[in-house]
Amino acid sequence: MKLDRRTFIKGAGAGTATCALATLPGSLAALGHSELQGSAESVASICEMCSTRCPISARVVNGKNVSILGNKNAKSFGGAVCARGGAGHSQLYDKQRIVKPLKRVGERGEGNWQEIEWDEAYSIIAKNLNKIKAEHGAEAVAFSSKSGSLSGHLFHLAKAFGSPNTFTHASTCPGSYVIAAKAIFGGKIKRDLSNSKYIINFGHNLYEGINMSETRGMMNAQMEKGAKLVVFEPRFSIVADKADEWYAIKPGTDVAVALAICHTLIADDLYDKAFVAQYVSGFEDFAKEVKAYTPEWAESVSDVPAEDIRRITHEYAAAAPHALVDFGHRSSFTTEEFEMRRALYAANVLVGNIERKGGLYFGKKAASYNKFAGDKVAPTLAKPGVEGMPKITAKRIDMVDEQYALTWSSGGIYQSILDATLEATPYQLRAWVMSRTNPMQTMTDRARVVKTMQKLDFVVACDIYISESAAYADIFLPESTYLERDEEIADKSSKNPAYYVRQRVVETIGDTKPSWLIWKELATEMGEGQFFPWENMETLQLFQVQRDVNLLRKIKEEGFVSFGKPLMLRERGMVRDFVATYPNAKAVDADGTYASQLSFKTPSGKIELSSDKVEKMAPGRGVIRYREVTMKKADELFFIQGKVAVHTNAATQNVPMLANLMSDNALWIHPITAGLLNISSGDKIRIYNDTGSEEGHALVTPGIRPDTVFAYMGCGSKNKELARATGKGVHCGNLLPHVTSPVTGMNLHTTGVKIAKI
């Protein structure tokens, strides 16, 4: 069917009858017929259907479709892609994708748009932002982006502009375990799931919130090596289904069970005394604190039997050091995220699994790896520095409380944009520039986000679709999909250094641009072009490899290149092979390891189970301890959310192939609860609380606690531009209150709701 501006799109809504909608200005449908052009030979690149960004190999087939496979050079990823990764082509030529800059011509959120040219878009943005800067200071503009490759160039523009207010999505999803790791270890740490013999999991659902490398690692540990998996989670998720044991823990009490595990390790003399003595600071204070956190106490809090907590702890200790407690990703969020994540890390520290197979380890980037090897085994990437960047004196809007100091370099407190806009705390924000981020879905209290958008003087959104948040923008800038753009070389180091690169597979469809080029061209229009001296992406890539053309060619041809041998500092076999390979390697310790070289970027230089730094930041929190929290009223049910394997949070619900797989999110309700409310599966229901109200339908299942209901997040969009996703399912953010957790700055993803049959 040939489409032009006067025709209508006829598309299948997932699981529903065919619907018709007017062609959206600036969309691929409005562009009309477009040939697919690109490489018929496989091109190594990087997926971006989620934040994992797996290495891929893609090519155009018969000029009609794109084949997307995993890159076989990336062995830990299994040379495969997940359902989302395989659907990248569906996003590429989706008729609802925006391929032309747009200007809002009605009220914000009304859905009236006009196509414009890039020059006009840049001119409007530059005029508005520079006016705000002149009248209120550059700090009156906030810049936010999905983390990773998409954030660097936008944040560089923010610095050139003079604003300190740059934010990733960290405080809405991964921030808590990063902040906790910084407090305890001084930096990020990784899981060696594939070699683990015993895995304790607190709702980190790697079989639905898929990270190909980690998911395959856990699958391999379970299927090939017989690892035992124990899961504590309020619902019977896919990871619970694949576990050896599942405990329907009360929402928000994960920290109680984690502390009871730590108590048992110490009280029953199961912990690694030598490791603790050499590497740990604050053990005595921690041991004194957890003395009261017995398994019996934890049972009274969490509903997990004390005898099982004690038995599991003994089994875990017996499998150590090749065992781990997964420190999680998106679990039952409470305001006590900081204590929960630190308790999970502590359970690993006590068994001495750091830098051991099946435990936790630090990534080995080229610079540190080469020092151990005594030779330049792996090339180091150069980072472009730009002279004369403005000195920013204004404080970030989230620097209002010293307790959040650890968050400021880790993405910031994203929701503080709302406070600064609506309440001028600590000062008034007047504009928001966002790139590939959707706070209308991922932040809490959607109504508050709407008020923020409506109050701002100017809003810019750069994205592939007009997301629920982009629907409130004044100017929409269409970004090329990941299949249409080149980007810098990225570091993917693990136990040894590794690099990979995103490369264009197909020619650009429509009038889109990669975000790095968008921000560079906008900087020029704003009078800041001197801070973007690189001519194109290849210029940046050559700078990164320090003009080593052969290295650049190798990375581009292979897509994923690793260097050297895997190394874990306290694993004798690995150290032996490493030293045998590199004649100039650093001398090993008497025990045949590099244990003495293990260091931590904390004030004490050790792992800190009790932290003076944290105590000064947040009095009373230096030692990990349990704090009771109230997340619901007595007559409410716990409401929790999670990820699903066919969608990425709130980013993919409009992708045709994935929308056809799942477009709705039924609310899980236990049969006992459903019986009391006279609700059956499929019934229309209302879910409500003091924050908001949503309508959906019920899924009655024994796979959830009677006091808890669950929905996959990301559904229930409320803007008409996302035609496949609009009005389908429960919008979780519309039910979650605006609360910021201590120390981590996380927003809240557990609350109370009431249910009524409609």
Side-chain angles (χ1 to χ4, degrees), residues 305-363:
E307 61 183 25
D308 289 323
I309 295 175
R310 188 169 281 110
R311 172 184 54 79
I312 289 165
T313 305
H314 277 255
E315 292 175 356
Y316 167 62
H322 310 303
L324 64 83
V325 175
D326 192 334
F327 50 79
H329 188 88
R330 186 185 183 92
S331 189
S332 295
F333 284 178
T334 77
T335 51
E336 290 304 309
E337 278 293 298
F338 186 57
E339 308 294 24
M340 171 187 157
R341 305 298 174 179
R342 286 200 297 169
L344 298 178
Y345 284 129
N348 289 283
V349 170
L350 290 175
V351 299
N353 68 3
I354 312 302
E355 290 290 326
R356 296 299 305 271
K357 279 187 174 182
L360 307 185
Y361 68 98
F362 295 99

Short mmCIF file of all heavy atoms in Angstrom, two decimals, residues 305-363:
data_model
loop_
_atom_site.label_atom_id
_atom_site.label_comp_id
_atom_site.label_asym_id
_atom_site.label_seq_id
_atom_site.Cartn_x
_atom_site.Cartn_y
_atom_site.Cartn_z
N PRO A 305 10.35 -18.34 56.33
CA PRO A 305 10.63 -19.18 57.51
C PRO A 305 12.07 -19.08 57.99
O PRO A 305 13.01 -19.14 57.18
CB PRO A 305 10.30 -20.59 57.03
CG PRO A 305 9.31 -20.38 55.93
CD PRO A 305 9.73 -19.12 55.25
N ALA A 306 12.26 -18.94 59.29
CA ALA A 306 13.59 -18.80 59.88
C ALA A 306 14.47 -20.00 59.57
O ALA A 306 15.66 -19.87 59.27
CB ALA A 306 13.47 -18.60 61.39
N GLU A 307 13.88 -21.20 59.65
CA GLU A 307 14.68 -22.41 59.41
C GLU A 307 15.21 -22.44 57.99
O GLU A 307 16.32 -22.94 57.73
CB GLU A 307 13.87 -23.66 59.71
CG GLU A 307 12.61 -23.82 58.86
CD GLU A 307 11.80 -25.03 59.25
OE1 GLU A 307 11.91 -25.48 60.40
OE2 GLU A 307 11.05 -25.54 58.39
N ASP A 308 14.46 -21.88 57.04
CA ASP A 308 14.92 -21.84 55.65
C ASP A 308 16.02 -20.80 55.47
O ASP A 308 16.98 -21.03 54.73
CB ASP A 308 13.76 -21.55 54.71
CG ASP A 308 12.79 -22.72 54.61
OD1 ASP A 308 13.26 -23.87 54.61
OD2 ASP A 308 11.58 -22.49 54.54
N ILE A 309 15.88 -19.65 56.10
CA ILE A 309 16.94 -18.64 56.02
C ILE A 309 18.24 -19.21 56.55
O ILE A 309 19.31 -19.05 55.92
CB ILE A 309 16.55 -17.37 56.82
CG1 ILE A 309 15.33 -16.70 56.21
CG2 ILE A 309 17.73 -16.40 56.88
CD1 ILE A 309 14.80 -15.52 57.01
N ARG A 310 18.17 -19.91 57.68
CA ARG A 310 19.39 -20.47 58.29
C ARG A 310 19.98 -21.57 57.39
O ARG A 310 21.19 -21.61 57.16
CB ARG A 310 19.05 -21.01 59.68
CG ARG A 310 20.28 -21.44 60.47
CD ARG A 310 19.95 -21.71 61.93
NE ARG A 310 19.85 -20.46 62.69
CZ ARG A 310 18.72 -19.96 63.17
NH1 ARG A 310 17.57 -20.59 62.95
NH2 ARG A 310 18.73 -18.84 63.86
N ARG A 311 19.13 -22.45 56.89
CA ARG A 311 19.63 -23.53 56.02
C ARG A 311 20.25 -22.98 54.74
O ARG A 311 21.33 -23.40 54.31
CB ARG A 311 18.48 -24.49 55.67
CG ARG A 311 18.85 -25.53 54.60
CD ARG A 311 17.66 -26.39 54.22
NE ARG A 311 16.50 -25.62 53.81
CZ ARG A 311 16.37 -25.08 52.59
NH1 ARG A 311 17.33 -25.20 51.69
NH2 ARG A 311 15.27 -24.41 52.28
N ILE A 312 19.56 -22.04 54.10
CA ILE A 312 20.06 -21.44 52.85
C ILE A 312 21.41 -20.77 53.09
O ILE A 312 22.32 -20.88 52.26
CB ILE A 312 19.03 -20.43 52.30
CG1 ILE A 312 17.81 -21.18 51.76
CG2 ILE A 312 19.63 -19.54 51.21
CD1 ILE A 312 16.60 -20.30 51.51
N THR A 313 21.55 -20.09 54.22
CA THR A 313 22.82 -19.43 54.53
C THR A 313 23.94 -20.45 54.67
O THR A 313 25.06 -20.22 54.19
CB THR A 313 22.69 -18.60 55.82
OG1 THR A 313 21.60 -17.68 55.69
CG2 THR A 313 23.97 -17.84 56.10
N HIS A 314 23.68 -21.56 55.31
CA HIS A 314 24.69 -22.61 55.46
C HIS A 314 25.06 -23.20 54.10
O HIS A 314 26.24 -23.47 53.83
CB HIS A 314 24.20 -23.70 56.42
CG HIS A 314 24.40 -23.36 57.87
ND1 HIS A 314 25.38 -23.95 58.65
CD2 HIS A 314 23.78 -22.46 58.68
CE1 HIS A 314 25.33 -23.46 59.87
NE2 HIS A 314 24.36 -22.55 59.93
N GLU A 315 24.07 -23.43 53.25
CA GLU A 315 24.35 -23.95 51.91
C GLU A 315 25.19 -22.95 51.10
O GLU A 315 26.13 -23.33 50.40
CB GLU A 315 23.04 -24.23 51.18
CG GLU A 315 22.23 -25.38 51.77
CD GLU A 315 20.88 -25.55 51.09
OE1 GLU A 315 20.54 -24.72 50.21
OE2 GLU A 315 20.16 -26.51 51.41
N TYR A 316 24.83 -21.71 51.20
CA TYR A 316 25.55 -20.63 50.50
C TYR A 316 27.00 -20.57 50.95
O TYR A 316 27.92 -20.51 50.13
CB TYR A 316 24.81 -19.32 50.77
CG TYR A 316 25.53 -18.06 50.40
CD1 TYR A 316 25.88 -17.77 49.09
CD2 TYR A 316 25.82 -17.10 51.38
CE1 TYR A 316 26.52 -16.58 48.75
CE2 TYR A 316 26.45 -15.90 51.06
CZ TYR A 316 26.81 -15.65 49.74
OH TYR A 316 27.43 -14.47 49.42
N ALA A 317 27.22 -20.62 52.27
CA ALA A 317 28.59 -20.56 52.80
C ALA A 317 29.40 -21.78 52.38
O ALA A 317 30.60 -21.67 52.12
CB ALA A 317 28.54 -20.45 54.33
N ALA A 318 28.75 -22.94 52.29
CA ALA A 318 29.45 -24.16 51.89
C ALA A 318 29.90 -24.08 50.44
O ALA A 318 30.93 -24.67 50.06
CB ALA A 318 28.55 -25.37 52.09
N ALA A 319 29.15 -23.37 49.60
CA ALA A 319 29.50 -23.23 48.18
C ALA A 319 30.49 -22.10 47.95
O ALA A 319 31.09 -22.01 46.87
CB ALA A 319 28.24 -22.98 47.36
N ALA A 320 30.66 -21.22 48.92
CA ALA A 320 31.56 -20.07 48.78
C ALA A 320 33.01 -20.55 48.67
O ALA A 320 33.36 -21.61 49.17
CB ALA A 320 31.40 -19.15 49.99
N PRO A 321 33.88 -19.79 47.99
CA PRO A 321 33.63 -18.44 47.46
C PRO A 321 32.96 -18.42 46.08
O PRO A 321 32.71 -17.34 45.55
CB PRO A 321 35.03 -17.85 47.37
CG PRO A 321 35.89 -19.03 47.03
CD PRO A 321 35.29 -20.18 47.80
N HIS A 322 32.68 -19.61 45.53
CA HIS A 322 32.06 -19.65 44.20
C HIS A 322 30.53 -19.56 44.32
O HIS A 322 29.79 -20.42 43.84
CB HIS A 322 32.48 -20.93 43.48
CG HIS A 322 33.96 -21.15 43.49
ND1 HIS A 322 34.85 -20.24 43.00
CD2 HIS A 322 34.70 -22.19 43.98
CE1 HIS A 322 36.10 -20.69 43.16
NE2 HIS A 322 36.03 -21.87 43.75
N ALA A 323 30.09 -18.54 45.00
CA ALA A 323 28.67 -18.32 45.27
C ALA A 323 28.45 -16.83 45.41
O ALA A 323 29.37 -16.08 45.73
CB ALA A 323 28.26 -19.05 46.54
N LEU A 324 27.21 -16.39 45.17
CA LEU A 324 26.95 -14.95 45.29
C LEU A 324 25.51 -14.66 45.65
O LEU A 324 24.60 -15.45 45.39
CB LEU A 324 27.34 -14.20 44.01
CG LEU A 324 26.59 -14.49 42.69
CD1 LEU A 324 25.29 -13.70 42.59
CD2 LEU A 324 27.48 -14.13 41.50
N VAL A 325 25.33 -13.51 46.27
CA VAL A 325 24.01 -12.92 46.47
C VAL A 325 23.90 -11.83 45.43
O VAL A 325 24.67 -10.86 45.44
CB VAL A 325 23.85 -12.35 47.89
CG1 VAL A 325 22.51 -11.63 48.02
CG2 VAL A 325 23.98 -13.45 48.94
N ASP A 326 22.97 -11.99 44.51
CA ASP A 326 22.79 -11.01 43.44
C ASP A 326 22.36 -9.68 44.04
O ASP A 326 21.36 -9.61 44.76
CB ASP A 326 21.73 -11.51 42.45
CG ASP A 326 21.69 -10.71 41.16
OD1 ASP A 326 22.08 -9.53 41.17
OD2 ASP A 326 21.24 -11.26 40.14
N PHE A 327 23.13 -8.62 43.75
CA PHE A 327 22.82 -7.32 44.35
C PHE A 327 21.68 -6.60 43.64
O PHE A 327 21.29 -5.50 44.01
CB PHE A 327 24.06 -6.42 44.39
CG PHE A 327 24.81 -6.31 43.09
CD1 PHE A 327 24.36 -5.49 42.07
CD2 PHE A 327 25.99 -7.03 42.90
CE1 PHE A 327 25.07 -5.38 40.88
CE2 PHE A 327 26.70 -6.92 41.71
CZ PHE A 327 26.24 -6.09 40.70
N GLY A 328 21.12 -7.24 42.61
CA GLY A 328 19.87 -6.78 42.05
C GLY A 328 19.98 -5.69 41.01
O GLY A 328 21.05 -5.22 40.65
N HIS A 329 18.83 -5.31 40.51
CA HIS A 329 18.71 -4.21 39.56
C HIS A 329 17.42 -3.47 39.86
O HIS A 329 17.43 -2.37 40.37
CB HIS A 329 18.70 -4.72 38.12
CG HIS A 329 18.78 -3.62 37.11
ND1 HIS A 329 19.98 -3.12 36.66
CD2 HIS A 329 17.82 -2.90 36.49
CE1 HIS A 329 19.75 -2.14 35.79
NE2 HIS A 329 18.44 -1.99 35.68
N ARG A 330 16.32 -4.11 39.56
CA ARG A 330 15.02 -3.50 39.87
C ARG A 330 14.23 -4.48 40.71
O ARG A 330 13.66 -5.44 40.22
CB ARG A 330 14.27 -3.17 38.57
CG ARG A 330 13.00 -2.40 38.80
CD ARG A 330 12.25 -2.21 37.49
NE ARG A 330 11.07 -1.41 37.70
CZ ARG A 330 11.03 -0.09 37.57
NH1 ARG A 330 12.12 0.55 37.21
NH2 ARG A 330 9.94 0.58 37.79
N SER A 331 14.22 -4.25 42.00
CA SER A 331 13.56 -5.16 42.91
C SER A 331 12.35 -4.47 43.52
O SER A 331 11.80 -3.56 42.93
CB SER A 331 14.57 -5.59 43.98
OG SER A 331 14.06 -6.62 44.78
N SER A 332 11.92 -4.88 44.70
CA SER A 332 10.81 -4.23 45.38
C SER A 332 11.31 -2.93 46.01
O SER A 332 11.76 -2.91 47.15
CB SER A 332 10.23 -5.15 46.47
OG SER A 332 9.67 -6.28 45.88
N PHE A 333 11.28 -1.87 45.25
CA PHE A 333 11.83 -0.61 45.71
C PHE A 333 11.10 -0.08 46.94
O PHE A 333 9.88 -0.04 46.99
CB PHE A 333 11.74 0.45 44.60
CG PHE A 333 12.76 0.27 43.51
CD1 PHE A 333 12.77 1.14 42.42
CD2 PHE A 333 13.72 -0.71 43.55
CE1 PHE A 333 13.71 1.00 41.41
CE2 PHE A 333 14.65 -0.86 42.55
CZ PHE A 333 14.64 0.00 41.46
N THR A 334 11.89 0.36 47.92
CA THR A 334 11.36 1.07 49.07
C THR A 334 12.22 2.30 49.29
O THR A 334 13.21 2.51 48.59
CB THR A 334 11.40 0.20 50.34
OG1 THR A 334 12.74 0.17 50.85
CG2 THR A 334 10.93 -1.21 50.06
N THR A 335 11.90 3.07 50.31
CA THR A 335 12.75 4.21 50.64
C THR A 335 14.08 3.77 51.23
O THR A 335 15.01 4.56 51.32
CB THR A 335 12.04 5.14 51.64
OG1 THR A 335 11.58 4.36 52.74
CG2 THR A 335 10.86 5.86 50.98
N GLU A 336 14.19 2.50 51.62
CA GLU A 336 15.43 1.99 52.22
C GLU A 336 16.29 1.22 51.21
O GLU A 336 16.89 0.20 51.52
CB GLU A 336 15.10 1.12 53.43
CG GLU A 336 14.57 1.91 54.60
CD GLU A 336 15.53 3.03 55.02
OE1 GLU A 336 16.72 2.74 55.22
OE2 GLU A 336 15.08 4.19 55.14
N GLU A 337 16.34 1.73 50.00
CA GLU A 337 17.16 1.12 48.96
C GLU A 337 18.64 1.05 49.35
O GLU A 337 19.32 0.07 49.07
CB GLU A 337 17.04 1.95 47.67
CG GLU A 337 15.82 1.63 46.86
CD GLU A 337 15.89 0.24 46.27
OE1 GLU A 337 16.80 -0.04 45.48
OE2 GLU A 337 15.05 -0.58 46.64
N PHE A 338 19.15 2.10 49.96
CA PHE A 338 20.57 2.16 50.29
C PHE A 338 20.94 1.03 51.25
O PHE A 338 21.94 0.33 51.06
CB PHE A 338 20.90 3.51 50.91
CG PHE A 338 22.36 3.75 51.16
CD1 PHE A 338 23.28 3.66 50.13
CD2 PHE A 338 22.82 4.07 52.44
CE1 PHE A 338 24.64 3.90 50.36
CE2 PHE A 338 24.16 4.31 52.67
CZ PHE A 338 25.08 4.22 51.63
N GLU A 339 20.13 0.83 52.31
CA GLU A 339 20.42 -0.22 53.26
C GLU A 339 20.25 -1.60 52.64
O GLU A 339 21.03 -2.52 52.90
CB GLU A 339 19.52 -0.08 54.49
CG GLU A 339 19.53 1.29 55.14
CD GLU A 339 20.87 1.67 55.75
OE1 GLU A 339 21.91 1.13 55.34
OE2 GLU A 339 20.88 2.53 56.64
N MET A 340 19.24 -1.74 51.79
CA MET A 340 19.00 -3.03 51.15
C MET A 340 20.18 -3.45 50.28
O MET A 340 20.70 -4.56 50.40
CB MET A 340 17.73 -2.97 50.30
CG MET A 340 17.50 -4.20 49.44
SD MET A 340 16.12 -3.96 48.32
CE MET A 340 16.51 -5.15 47.05
N ARG A 341 20.62 -2.54 49.40
CA ARG A 341 21.73 -2.90 48.49
C ARG A 341 23.02 -3.13 49.26
O ARG A 341 23.79 -4.04 48.94
CB ARG A 341 21.92 -1.81 47.44
CG ARG A 341 20.68 -1.47 46.64
CD ARG A 341 20.15 -2.63 45.82
NE ARG A 341 18.88 -2.25 45.20
CZ ARG A 341 18.16 -3.02 44.41
NH1 ARG A 341 18.57 -4.24 44.14
NH2 ARG A 341 17.03 -2.59 43.88
N ARG A 342 23.27 -2.32 50.28
CA ARG A 342 24.49 -2.54 51.06
C ARG A 342 24.44 -3.87 51.79
O ARG A 342 25.46 -4.56 51.92
CB ARG A 342 24.70 -1.40 52.06
CG ARG A 342 25.17 -0.10 51.43
CD ARG A 342 25.81 0.83 52.46
NE ARG A 342 24.87 1.23 53.49
CZ ARG A 342 25.23 1.87 54.61
NH1 ARG A 342 26.51 2.16 54.84
NH2 ARG A 342 24.32 2.22 55.50
N ALA A 343 23.26 -4.25 52.28
CA ALA A 343 23.13 -5.55 52.95
C ALA A 343 23.40 -6.70 51.98
O ALA A 343 24.03 -7.70 52.34
CB ALA A 343 21.74 -5.68 53.56
N LEU A 344 22.95 -6.57 50.74
CA LEU A 344 23.20 -7.60 49.74
C LEU A 344 24.69 -7.70 49.43
O LEU A 344 25.25 -8.80 49.29
CB LEU A 344 22.41 -7.30 48.46
CG LEU A 344 20.88 -7.30 48.59
CD1 LEU A 344 20.23 -6.95 47.25
CD2 LEU A 344 20.37 -8.63 49.09
N TYR A 345 25.35 -6.54 49.30
CA TYR A 345 26.80 -6.55 49.08
C TYR A 345 27.51 -7.17 50.28
O TYR A 345 28.47 -7.94 50.13
CB TYR A 345 27.31 -5.13 48.85
CG TYR A 345 27.02 -4.56 47.49
CD1 TYR A 345 26.43 -3.30 47.35
CD2 TYR A 345 27.36 -5.26 46.32
CE1 TYR A 345 26.17 -2.77 46.09
CE2 TYR A 345 27.10 -4.72 45.07
CZ TYR A 345 26.50 -3.48 44.96
OH TYR A 345 26.25 -2.95 43.72
N ALA A 346 27.06 -6.84 51.48
CA ALA A 346 27.70 -7.36 52.69
C ALA A 346 27.66 -8.88 52.75
O ALA A 346 28.62 -9.53 53.18
CB ALA A 346 27.03 -6.77 53.93
N ALA A 347 26.55 -9.46 52.29
CA ALA A 347 26.43 -10.92 52.29
C ALA A 347 27.46 -11.56 51.36
O ALA A 347 27.85 -12.72 51.56
CB ALA A 347 25.02 -11.32 51.89
N ASN A 348 27.89 -10.85 50.35
CA ASN A 348 28.97 -11.33 49.48
C ASN A 348 30.33 -11.15 50.14
O ASN A 348 31.18 -12.05 50.14
CB ASN A 348 28.95 -10.57 48.15
CG ASN A 348 27.78 -10.94 47.27
OD1 ASN A 348 27.78 -11.98 46.63
ND2 ASN A 348 26.77 -10.07 47.23
N VAL A 349 30.54 -9.99 50.72
CA VAL A 349 31.83 -9.67 51.34
C VAL A 349 32.16 -10.69 52.43
O VAL A 349 33.30 -11.14 52.55
CB VAL A 349 31.79 -8.24 51.92
CG1 VAL A 349 33.03 -7.97 52.79
CG2 VAL A 349 31.69 -7.21 50.80
N LEU A 350 31.18 -11.06 53.23
CA LEU A 350 31.42 -11.95 54.36
C LEU A 350 31.92 -13.33 53.94
O LEU A 350 32.62 -13.99 54.71
CB LEU A 350 30.15 -12.09 55.21
CG LEU A 350 29.75 -10.83 56.00
CD1 LEU A 350 28.42 -11.05 56.71
CD2 LEU A 350 30.83 -10.45 57.00
N VAL A 351 31.56 -13.78 52.73
CA VAL A 351 32.05 -15.10 52.29
C VAL A 351 33.31 -14.98 51.44
O VAL A 351 33.80 -15.98 50.91
CB VAL A 351 30.97 -15.90 51.53
CG1 VAL A 351 29.77 -16.15 52.42
CG2 VAL A 351 30.55 -15.19 50.25
N GLY A 352 33.83 -13.76 51.29
CA GLY A 352 35.12 -13.57 50.61
C GLY A 352 35.09 -13.92 49.14
O GLY A 352 36.08 -14.44 48.61
N ASN A 353 33.99 -13.62 48.45
CA ASN A 353 33.89 -14.01 47.03
C ASN A 353 34.37 -12.92 46.07
O ASN A 353 34.19 -13.04 44.86
CB ASN A 353 32.45 -14.41 46.68
CG ASN A 353 31.47 -13.24 46.73
OD1 ASN A 353 31.85 -12.09 46.96
ND2 ASN A 353 30.19 -13.52 46.50
N ILE A 354 34.99 -11.88 46.58
CA ILE A 354 35.46 -10.79 45.73
C ILE A 354 36.68 -11.23 44.93
O ILE A 354 37.65 -11.76 45.48
CB ILE A 354 35.81 -9.54 46.57
CG1 ILE A 354 34.68 -9.22 47.56
CG2 ILE A 354 36.11 -8.35 45.66
CD1 ILE A 354 33.33 -8.97 46.92
N GLU A 355 36.61 -11.03 43.61
CA GLU A 355 37.67 -11.45 42.68
C GLU A 355 37.88 -12.96 42.72
O GLU A 355 39.00 -13.45 42.55
CB GLU A 355 38.98 -10.71 42.95
CG GLU A 355 38.95 -9.23 42.59
CD GLU A 355 38.89 -8.97 41.08
OE1 GLU A 355 39.48 -9.75 40.31
OE2 GLU A 355 38.24 -7.98 40.69
N ARG A 356 36.80 -13.70 42.91
CA ARG A 356 36.83 -15.15 42.82
C ARG A 356 35.78 -15.61 41.82
O ARG A 356 34.73 -14.97 41.65
CB ARG A 356 36.53 -15.81 44.18
CG ARG A 356 37.55 -15.53 45.27
CD ARG A 356 38.95 -16.04 44.92
NE ARG A 356 39.00 -17.45 44.59
CZ ARG A 356 39.18 -18.43 45.47
NH1 ARG A 356 39.28 -18.14 46.77
NH2 ARG A 356 39.25 -19.69 45.08
N LYS A 357 36.02 -16.73 41.15
CA LYS A 357 35.06 -17.27 40.19
C LYS A 357 33.72 -17.50 40.88
O LYS A 357 33.67 -18.03 41.99
CB LYS A 357 35.57 -18.60 39.63
CG LYS A 357 36.57 -18.46 38.50
CD LYS A 357 36.89 -19.82 37.90
CE LYS A 357 37.79 -19.70 36.68
NZ LYS A 357 38.06 -21.03 36.08
N GLY A 358 32.67 -17.12 40.18
CA GLY A 358 31.34 -17.31 40.72
C GLY A 358 30.94 -16.29 41.75
O GLY A 358 29.84 -16.37 42.31
N GLY A 359 31.80 -15.30 41.99
CA GLY A 359 31.50 -14.26 42.96
C GLY A 359 31.37 -12.91 42.29
O GLY A 359 30.80 -12.79 41.21
N LEU A 360 31.93 -11.88 42.92
CA LEU A 360 31.90 -10.53 42.38
C LEU A 360 33.30 -10.09 41.98
O LEU A 360 34.29 -10.55 42.57
CB LEU A 360 31.33 -9.54 43.41
CG LEU A 360 29.98 -9.87 44.04
CD1 LEU A 360 29.53 -8.73 44.95
CD2 LEU A 360 28.92 -10.15 42.98
N TYR A 361 33.40 -9.23 40.98
CA TYR A 361 34.72 -8.79 40.52
C TYR A 361 34.62 -7.40 39.91
O TYR A 361 33.54 -6.92 39.56
CB TYR A 361 35.28 -9.77 39.50
CG TYR A 361 34.54 -9.80 38.18
CD1 TYR A 361 34.99 -9.08 37.08
CD2 TYR A 361 33.37 -10.55 38.03
CE1 TYR A 361 34.30 -9.10 35.87
CE2 TYR A 361 32.67 -10.58 36.84
CZ TYR A 361 33.14 -9.85 35.76
OH TYR A 361 32.45 -9.85 34.57
N PHE A 362 35.78 -6.76 39.79
CA PHE A 362 35.86 -5.45 39.17
C PHE A 362 36.26 -5.58 37.71
O PHE A 362 37.09 -6.43 37.36
CB PHE A 362 36.89 -4.58 39.90
CG PHE A 362 36.51 -4.27 41.32
CD1 PHE A 362 37.05 -5.00 42.38
CD2 PHE A 362 35.59 -3.27 41.61
CE1 PHE A 362 36.69 -4.73 43.68
CE2 PHE A 362 35.22 -2.99 42.93
CZ PHE A 362 35.77 -3.73 43.96
N GLY A 363 35.67 -4.75 36.86
CA GLY A 363 36.02 -4.77 35.45
C GLY A 363 37.48 -4.42 35.23
O GLY A 363 38.02 -3.54 35.91
#
